[in-house]
Each structure stands twice: as structure tokens, then as C-alpha cells.
Amino acid sequence: MSGAGKRALIVFAHQEPLRSFNGALKEAAVQALSKQGCQVEVSDLYASTFNPVATRADIVGDLKGTECFRYGEESAAAWEKGTLSQDIVNEQKKVQDADLVIFQFPLYWFSMPAIMKGWMDRVLTRGFAYGFPQFYEGGPFTKKKALISITTGGMESMYGPTGVNGDINVILWPMQQGMLHFCGFQVLAPQISWSPSFMPEEGRKGLVAMWEQRLASVWQEKTLKFAPLELFDPKKGFVLNDDTVKNLSTKPQGLTVGQHAGKPLPPNNQTKANDASAE
């Protein structure tokens, strides 16, 4: 299946939209997806001076509560009433229209830049992006794919299980499980461009070419696997049920990066779809 008739959104967070390596990856994605007949839209967060701070100003008009301001409750109520601020509404419409959402950014302090985190905080409101029990595989975005494309400052070996920065799977878990999968997205394996700043020009061109090649078949990719909700017992506070815990006791590794049950983490759980295990 090609991208013909599909819609893609690239949420881009870098101060330099064209001359940076992140900018080159963004432009490569636009071109690669457009060649397939995919309609591509870019949300350039820095260029649009997107406000990353979640405040009372995000709700237009009266609040639901009259005492303590609770952002989560108020933004959910405003989404229901159609009284969220226009910049949030604009971004939500882009997500709603998209079949694939790519988040392009440099890794900052083992996470995403503040402006990207602010986009997550303000745009993925309750009601629009999740609810209860509409979360994880029951979330609103189960028909949409999502992919994180990041650049790192350190070399790949630094982000291994014995590397000085620690396992990249652990770094990715909060973003891929806690943000994307939580909203129901079909999460594709991340695109990681290791240490492009310290590569020769030919090496950087090679990384861009690999990204373009991957996007040519992105619609056929398998998704990362996460532990399904059916494995968790709501009567015990949504912890793994007894049968799953018993089964894990005979396994050499944990179930996922998050549900490891004190065992070694399964390798590549957040980086390679074929090796991700939630069986």
C-alpha cells in the first residue's frame, strides 16, 4: 500500500528549519511521502512560535470549576464545548486528519525539546486524545500511525545497555508508551539518527537516504508491541494478572521495558517491531 490518498503530519521542533540536520530529515520526509501521493502537512513549532505552556488562557470563556484550577478537567470540558484556544484547535484538526504523524526533533536531556512536550501537553487533551477507559489500545487514534524521528548528540554505543547514557529503549518508553500508545496510536519503530553532528557530510547524506528508503514502505511496517490491557487486573489496581505473572516467572526477560517484573529488559523492545515482545 502506497501513500496515495493518505495524509501525513510532521510535527517539527528545531530552531533551524532548513540548514539543520533535523530540517534535512523533515524535508526528506515531505518529499518522500509526497512522491507517493500522500498529502503532507508540517507543524513547524519554532517557526510558528507555538506556545508550549498549558495555562488558563487555553480555555476560552467560563471555566467548569470555580475553586482550584485543574487544567486536565478544564481542557477536557473545553474540548467538549468547543472552547479551547484556536492554536490548540488548529493542531487537533491536523492530527484528526492525519493517517501518519511523524515527530521530528533532536533529543534534549534524554527527552524531547520543551516546545514539543508542550505540544503534547496542550494538544493531546482528554476527550480528544484519550479518555477512561478510552486509552492504550482503546484510545481514539487506533487507526493512525505515529513515529518518532530523533537525532542524538552521542554515538550509538553510548545508548546501549552498557553505554554511559543507558539503554535507548528506556529513554523512548515514556514517549512511545506514555504519550503515543496511551492515545491509541499504532506506534512504529523510531528512526534514530546517531550523532550526525560528528559525522562527515557523506555520513549525514547516508542517514537521510536511509530515512527516505524507509518511508517508501512505511505504510507496510509492523508496529511496536505493548502489553495489552487484558493482561492487567483492574480489581488489583491495573497490575499484571496472576496468570501473566506466573508465566513471566519462567521467562528469562521481562515483558516490556516498563513491565519487566524485576527481570532483564527485553532487548530492542522500543526500537524494533520484530523484537518487541508482549506475548
Side-chain angles (χ1 to χ4, degrees):
M1 184 187 303
S2 70
K6 301 284 188 180
R7 298 172 68 105
L9 169 65
I10 302 173
V11 185
F12 175 70
H14 195 282
Q15 301 87 340
E16 176 50 68
L18 295 177
R19 291 174 292 182
S20 66
F21 186 74
N22 272 269
L25 293 173
K26 178 256 296 179
E27 288 299 310
V30 170
Q31 294 177 26
L33 292 169
S34 297
K35 286 179 182 178
Q36 301 176 28
C38 185
Q39 184 174 335
V40 185
E41 187 165 16
V42 176
S43 279
D44 187 329
L45 302 186
Y46 284 105
S48 65
T49 61
F50 181 82
N51 174 22
V53 184
T55 68
R56 162 69 178 84
D58 290 348
I59 293 92
V60 179
D62 296 333
L63 296 176
K64 174 184 176 182
T66 57
E67 298 179 0
C68 177
F69 177 70
R70 295 179 174 86
Y71 185 86
E73 292 183 12
E74 293 295 348
S75 59
W79 178 80
E80 288 279 356
K81 294 187 296 182
T83 56
L84 285 169
S85 62
Q86 192 59 49
D87 62 337
I88 294 176
V89 171
N90 292 343
E91 294 301 306
Q92 288 182 337
K93 180 156 192 322
K94 295 175 187 177
V95 174
Q96 192 64 50
D97 290 343
D99 299 296
L100 168 67
V101 184
I102 296 173
F103 298 92
Q104 180 67 59
F105 58 91
L107 199 65
Y108 275 12
W109 294 113
F110 293 14
S111 185
M112 54 183 61
I115 199 166
M116 181 70 82
K117 179 57 166 61
W119 186 97
M120 300 284 184
D121 291 345
R122 297 181 66 228
V123 175
L124 301 181
T125 60
R126 194 173 81 201
F128 170 68
Y130 69 96
F132 301 100
Q134 295 77 38
F135 63 118
Y136 290 125
E137 65 262 32
F141 300 153
T142 54
K143 295 183 179 180
K144 302 179 185 296
K145 299 179 185 295
L147 188 157
I148 288 175
S149 174
I150 60 173
T151 59
T152 69
M155 65 186 75
E156 183 174 3
S157 60
M158 297 171 70
Y159 293 92
T162 60
V164 66
N165 289 340
D167 193 336
I168 189 65
N169 290 275
V170 176
I171 294 171
L172 290 167
W173 175 261
M175 295 181 270
Q176 295 186 153
Q177 157 85 2
M179 300 178 193
L180 303 184
H181 178 52
F182 188 84
C183 298
F185 279 113
Q186 300 173 38
V187 186
L188 303 181
Q191 184 73 14
I192 306 175
S193 298
W194 303 103
S195 194
S197 296
F198 298 97
M199 274 190 177
E201 183 62 22
E202 287 305 309
R204 291 193 291 271
K205 288 180 179 178
L207 291 176
V208 174
M210 288 172 57
W211 178 222
E212 292 174 329
Q213 183 177 13
R214 178 184 177 184
L215 289 171
S217 58
V218 70
W219 303 102
Q220 290 101 334
E221 284 190 14
K222 294 181 179 180
T223 60
L224 295 175
K225 292 182 180 179
F226 298 89
L229 282 173
E230 65 185 26
L231 297 184
F232 299 89
D233 188 345
K235 295 179 181 179
K236 294 184 177 180
F238 284 95
V239 297
L240 289 172
N241 60 44
D242 293 341
D243 288 342
T244 302
V245 172
K246 183 178 179 181
N247 184 48
L248 267 178
S249 68
T250 65
K251 304 292 184 182
Q253 300 165 342
L255 191 64
T256 70
V257 168
Q259 293 87 25
H260 52 73
K263 292 177 174 289
L265 303 186
N268 303 322
N269 179 248
Q270 291 295 290
T271 54
K272 293 183 180 179
N274 291 335
D275 292 333
S277 177
E279 303 296 337

